[in-house]
């Protein structure tokens, strides 16, 4: 059975639901709070799994008490984890996230790990049954190496381009499909879609929050309108869209734009509920099972 591979960030998120940012040096009580695993690649992998896919997550978690808790939660979602920090007592990425219940915005404080030392993986063997590889570019050197192996095996690669970074241009020359955020701005202010076109990205899309998603292939182009919902929590909506896209594109075999349409539906459903899971579960209950 072919599996979906996701390489990138996993975090432990602490979510606080409030009516605004507290003043400096002041205490404030939350309306609600919860913890959940998060991160771009991790949220995408969980969404893919909830929809019915078989996910493998290549990430950095470690064996701290928090890391063990993350792995337990991922096991509940039936996700196979390849931990680049296996056996090391190092804290994973940690995030504190304030969700403003009045404006639906979120403010994120993140603790970041230092760059990983040299990583040795049996890359050829790991991706032998990959249907695709999605990356958020958290681990650039390993990502490029895996994508080169994937290209030699004609495995499709998908890039979650959230922000423009040092390796973005190189990745655009390597991957076959890109779903980018409108916040991914080239440093010379060029149009992102034009840059992707110039780099030879075969299937490309740009999302913009609650605004239409624009997409292009070699033959076609268009826009996709989000579904109107009452927005409660936008946390992880982009990650959810990526995971849903991969499911409908590679497991269901839909054309690029049709898979995007389905992914927009799942993402739109997700923002109507607190947290990054309940909306996906509601979508599955109504449509997939």
């Amino acid at each position: 059975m072919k599996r979906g591979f996701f390489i990138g960030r996993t975090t432990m998120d602490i979510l606080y639901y409030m009516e605004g940012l507290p003043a400096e040096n002041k205490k404030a009580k939350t309306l609600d709070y919860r913890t959940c695993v998060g991160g771009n690649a991790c949220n995408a992998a969980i969404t893919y799994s909830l929809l019915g896919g078989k996910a493998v997550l290549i990430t950095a978690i470690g064996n701290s008490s928090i890391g063990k808790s993350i792995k337990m939660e991922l096991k509940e979602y039936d996700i196979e984890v390849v931990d680049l920090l296996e056996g090391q007592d190092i804290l994973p990425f940690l995030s504190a996230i304030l969700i403003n219940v009045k404006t639906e915005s979120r403010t994120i404080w993140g603790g970041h790990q230092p760059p990983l030392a040299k990583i040795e993986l049996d890359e050829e063997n790991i991706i032998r049954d990959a249907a695709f590889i999605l990356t958020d570019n958290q681990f650039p050197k390993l990502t490029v190496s895996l994508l080169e192996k994937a290209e030699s095996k004609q495995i499709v690669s998908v890039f979650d381009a959230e922000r423009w970074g040092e390796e973005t241009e190189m990745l655009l020359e390597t991957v076959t499909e890109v779903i980018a955020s409108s916040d991914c701005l080239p440093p010379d202010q060029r149009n992102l879609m034009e840059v992707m076109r110039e780099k030879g990205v075969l299937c490309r899309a740009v999302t913009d929050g609650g605004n239409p998603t624009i997409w292009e292939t070699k033959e076609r182009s268009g826009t996709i309108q989000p579904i109107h919902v009452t927005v409660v929590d936008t946390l992880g909506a982009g990650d959810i869209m990526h995971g849903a896209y991969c499911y409908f594109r590679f497991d269901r075999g839909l054309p690029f734009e049709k898979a995007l349409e389905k992914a927009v539906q799942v993402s739109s459903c997700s923002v109507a509920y607190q947290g990054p899971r309940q909306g996906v579960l509601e979508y599955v209950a109504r449509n997939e099972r």
Side-chain angles (χ1 to χ4, degrees), residues 197 201-204 215-222 249 255-257:
R197 197 182 304 128
V201 179
L202 299 178
C203 300
R204 44 200 180 266
W215 62 269
E216 289 183 355
T217 65
K218 186 176 181 180
E219 300 84 13
R220 303 179 302 281
S221 63
R249 178 75 161 134
F256 177 66
E257 63 272 25

Side-chain angles (χ1 to χ4, degrees), residues 94-237:
L94 302 174
S95 294
I97 304 170
L98 186 149
I99 293 96
N100 189 320
V101 298
K102 289 185 175 180
T103 65
E104 299 99 35
S105 67
R106 72 260 195 276
T107 304
I108 302 174
W109 294 266
H112 295 265
Q113 297 164 336
L116 296 179
K118 183 179 179 181
I119 302 166
E120 294 185 3
L121 287 178
D122 185 357
E123 297 168 5
E124 292 272 3
N125 187 52
I126 284 177
I127 64 170
R128 67 187 184 281
D129 59 351
F132 64 89
I133 296 177
L134 177 139
T135 178
D136 62 13
N137 196 30
Q138 179 61 46
F139 312 110
K141 290 183 179 179
L142 176 60
T143 294
V144 170
S145 179
L146 279 173
L147 294 185
E148 288 174 349
K149 298 289 192 308
E151 185 177 22
S152 69
K153 295 177 178 292
Q154 297 183 315
I155 298 170
V156 177
S157 52
V158 183
F159 181 20
D160 166 7
E162 183 180 38
R163 298 284 189 277
W164 191 276
E166 293 181 4
E167 299 84 10
T168 300
E169 194 161 0
M170 176 178 61
L171 278 174
L172 292 178
E173 295 172 349
T174 307
V175 298
T176 47
E177 304 187 359
V178 176
I179 304 175
S181 165
S182 58
D183 293 328
C184 184
L185 300 174
D188 53 9
Q189 301 303 309
R190 286 182 295 165
N191 179 276
L192 178 58
M193 192 65 86
E194 290 181 2
V195 172
M196 291 193 288
R197 197 182 304 128
E198 291 169 3
K199 297 298 179 183
V201 179
L202 299 178
C203 300
R204 44 200 180 266
V206 178
T207 65
D208 188 16
N211 297 313
T213 294
I214 60 174
W215 62 269
E216 289 183 355
T217 65
K218 186 176 181 180
E219 300 84 13
R220 303 179 302 281
S221 63
T223 60
I224 300 170
Q225 297 289 338
I227 297 171
H228 177 72
V229 298
T230 300
V231 176
V232 173
D233 185 356
T234 61
L235 181 68

